[in-house]
Amino acid sequence: MLIDINAYIGNFPFRTLRDNTPEKLIARLDRCGIQMAAVSSIDALFHRHPYSANEKLIHDLSPHQDRLIPIGTINPLSPHWEDDLQECLEWNMKGVQIFPPYQGFATNGPKAKSVAQACAKNNIPIFIPNRLEDIRQHHWMDPAKESNLTHIADLIAAVPEATVIIPNARAITSSALWKRQDIRNGNWFIDLSLVEIFYRLHTNANTIRDLADLIDEGGANHILFGTNLPLSYAGPALVKQAQLPVDIETSKDISYRTAAKLLDIQL
């Protein structure tokens, strides 16, 4: 079984995503043998006030509750964002997403900490994408900013009770997420979508072990299966999942069991 922790529906302002509806997403999941996916709204990330986009996400996913798991979006710069969070909880969303570089606040600042604390209080994970796509191909109007992993590490240290999921991250073992001993065993997770088993391939053939080093050094419990559909293809994540140097039980944890626990999914 596979639970995709990182999928989207909606419109990306800078390139067409080919009718990115729940039905199209389910068709993509079916082609790849993925049973369920945690789904966020791309539109909500670009709304100053994400309430209406969250409401549309719930409406669009409601016929597919057995396959698609709604993840809300919060912008703490929006007035009464706490009310938006309460709406997400009442709609039974299984987590909320923030993207500070696009929304205009510091990842390790007081606004992000407030959302993380609220999520921890309500026992839901907070999603903080490292990026949406490769910034080297960005449109000239796209700010092409990433959520700095050092700043995410600061947030994890400041709010250790929060569960933090960091989709689309890479270069983990060289980042503060892994180098900081105070959070090494913290409640944070990355996914397989953009991280590479063999990283920095074009730099030095002797330093091409990023995800493999994370596993060798005891970090397999931080890994979740995720694809970044439809902004990325699912194939690379499926190949990584199949090739991870882990035992069968750990593979099951990465594939679906940890995600089911974090998202309160009854299997």
Side-chain angles (χ1 to χ4, degrees):
M1 184 173 184
L2 292 170
I3 296 179
D4 184 351
I5 202 73
N6 177 20
Y8 290 93
I9 64 169
N11 303 295
F12 188 57
F14 306 110
R15 62 182 171 97
T16 301
L17 295 177
R18 298 184 182 180
D19 191 21
N20 187 26
T21 63
E23 293 75 21
K24 290 289 186 180
L25 176 58
I26 289 174
R28 294 182 179 107
L29 297 176
D30 288 342
R31 285 197 298 270
C32 298
I34 300 171
Q35 284 72 35
M36 304 179 76
V39 183
S40 305
S41 166
I42 301 175
D43 303 75
L45 284 175
F46 294 91
H47 284 198
R48 286 178 295 178
H49 187 70
Y51 172 86
S52 59
N54 286 333
E55 184 179 41
K56 184 177 187 304
L57 179 70
I58 282 293
H59 177 269
D60 291 347
L61 297 191
S62 60
H64 312 286
Q65 297 178 39
D66 59 329
R67 301 291 303 277
L68 305 180
I69 305 151
I71 304 297
T73 299
I74 296 295
N75 184 349
L77 297 183
S78 176
H80 311 299
W81 67 265
E82 296 91 343
D83 294 338
D84 290 343
L85 176 60
Q86 187 59 39
E87 291 287 353
C88 290
L89 295 170
E90 292 177 4
W91 285 327
N92 200 30
M93 289 182 165
K94 299 297 187 177
V96 298
Q97 172 181 232
I98 62 173
F99 197 12
Y102 277 65
Q103 294 172 315
F105 57 94
T107 308
N108 56 354
K111 297 292 187 181
K113 291 175 184 176
S114 294
V115 179
Q117 289 165 344
C119 288
K121 180 179 179 180
N122 289 283
N123 199 31
I124 59 172
I126 180 171
F127 291 67
I128 311 176
N130 179 224
R131 68 194 74 190
L132 289 183
E133 60 175 0
D134 191 327
I135 63 174
R136 293 172 297 181
Q137 64 187 20
H138 74 281
H139 185 275
W140 65 272
M141 291 184 69
D142 184 346
K145 296 179 180 178
E146 301 177 355
S147 294
N148 187 291
L149 295 183
T150 297
H151 295 167
I152 294 177
D154 292 338
L155 178 65
I156 293 167
V159 193
E161 66 274 23
T163 297
V164 181
I165 298 175
I166 311 154
N168 303 335
R170 63 197 312 170
I172 304 303
T173 54
S174 62
S175 77
L177 285 173
W178 195 240
K179 287 188 172 183
R180 283 185 60 163
Q181 295 295 322
D182 60 325
I183 65 166
R184 178 168 281 202
N185 295 318
N187 204 25
W188 57 267
F189 302 87
I190 62 165
D191 78 325
L192 292 175
S193 59
L194 298 185
V195 70
E196 297 187 7
I197 296 177
F198 302 118
Y199 188 63
R200 295 173 64 188
L201 180 61
H202 305 295
T203 305
N204 185 335
N206 295 318
T207 59
I208 59 175
R209 293 173 50 85
D210 183 51
L211 190 53
D213 282 345
L214 180 66
I215 292 169
D216 288 347
E217 295 172 16
N221 60 313
H222 290 292
I223 303 171
L224 303 171
F225 178 78
T227 65
N228 197 36
L229 278 170
L231 290 158
S232 302
Y233 292 107
L238 291 167
V239 171
K240 295 169 203 175
Q241 190 275 339
Q243 294 187 347
L244 288 175
V246 297
D247 59 39
I248 292 175
E249 293 304 310
T250 303
S251 179
K252 289 180 180 179
D253 288 341
I254 292 170
S255 298
Y256 70 94
R257 289 198 302 211
T258 302
K261 181 179 180 181
L262 296 177
L263 301 176
D264 191 26
I265 299 171
Q266 302 300 316
L267 300 177

